[in-house]
Structures are given as C-alpha cells and as structure tokens.
Amino acid sequence: GGRGSGPGSSHNLLDLLDVPMDSASPPAAAPPPPPALALRPAPSLDAATFQARWAALPPAPGCVSGPRVLTLGANASAVLTAPAPLMSHLATRGFATMASGGAPPAIKYYFYAQAADGAGLFLVEAVVNPAARAARVVLKTDAGAQRGAAADDILAEAMASFAA
C-alpha cells in the first residue's frame, strides 16, 4: 500500500487557488515580449541640462571600466569624412546630437536619447575613428542598469549598421 501515491491522497494546487483550470494554462501563442527599450523618435534636451546630467550620472554597466569600443560598418571610412552622416544615421535610431566636432581620425560626438515612456535619459560621448571603424563610447543614464544595457545594445546596433 503506497500511502500518498493514490489519486485521492495528493491535493491539486490549483484546487487551492480560486482559478479555473483553463485560465491557468499558458495561451497557445504568447505575444512576443515588448522590446527591452523603446526610444523617443525625436528627443529634446538643452545643452545646460546635458552638461549637468553628464557630470552627475554614473556610466552604464558596459562603460564602468572605461569607454566601450563599438565597431562601425565596413564602409565607414569612405562615408564618414565629416560628422554629419553618423549624426543623421543615429537620429533614425532615436539618438539626437548635442554637439560634434573634430575630423578623422577622431570625430567627437555627444548624443542623447530618451525612453519613449519617459523613464530614462541616455547620454553618450563617442570618439569615432572612421579608418579603424571604431567608436570609443561612454554611455551614462539615470534609468538603471537594465535600461542602460538596452540603450547600449541599440547604440551598438546603430554603429554596426552605419555604412555597412
């Protein structure tokens, strides 16, 4: 006699909850998860606020030990002879330009982005060497580690797809 193994001896946990069986099972086709982070198509920020926030904010997780090096597309050296092409490319991804200057091999940019839901500001310093297809990037945010990493991923994808 195996006590505890019969059908009447164990309780179904769902019977203890006020949940009908059919609603407890997962739906057949779960909707895809929302993107980790959606950025505003046209963020706005004034220079004074950018400077104050840049000075106050910590670097995102990927940039704590220093700039993260992102790779640009294969044709970056041909396309990026002045700051403008990268600025317009990143604008399509939600990163607006606060300032830019310099010339190859060290074009310097300051970009910013805002979370679409208003919960997060992302500030970026990038020094780009088009010939090396490299961007040394520091990203700072007030949105926490998870969103900081998500913004970092969006930026990395944008850099990689530039002049690819």
Side-chain angles (χ1 to χ4, degrees):
R3 288 184 61 197
S5 64
S9 63
S10 66
H11 289 288
N12 182 338
L13 289 176
L14 291 176
D15 291 343
L16 303 177
L17 302 171
D18 234 354
V19 179
M21 268 310 268
D22 57 342
S23 71
S25 60
L37 179 66
L39 297 178
R40 266 190 203 154
S44 63
L45 189 69
D46 63 79
T49 304
F50 184 103
Q51 288 183 321
R53 302 300 288 147
W54 181 264
L57 290 174
C63 309
V64 170
S65 55
R68 181 178 170 198
V69 178
L70 302 180
T71 303
L72 279 68
N75 299 309
S77 61
V79 175
L80 199 59
T81 55
L86 184 60
M87 289 159 49
S88 47
H89 177 74
L90 283 182
T92 66
R93 301 299 202 277
F95 283 91
T97 305
M98 179 57 65
S100 67
I107 306 175
K108 193 168 197 174
Y109 298 91
Y110 288 96
F111 300 112
Y112 62 95
Q114 292 165 322
D117 60 9
L121 176 66
F122 308 94
L123 308 178
V124 179
E125 178 188 71
V127 179
V128 178
N129 180 340
R133 294 174 47 208
R136 292 171 56 85
V137 171
V138 175
L139 184 140
K140 294 185 173 189
T141 182
D142 59 5
Q146 190 172 1
R147 285 193 154 197
D152 212 5
D153 289 346
I154 294 170
L155 185 63
E157 184 282 325
M159 292 288 189
S161 64
F162 173 76

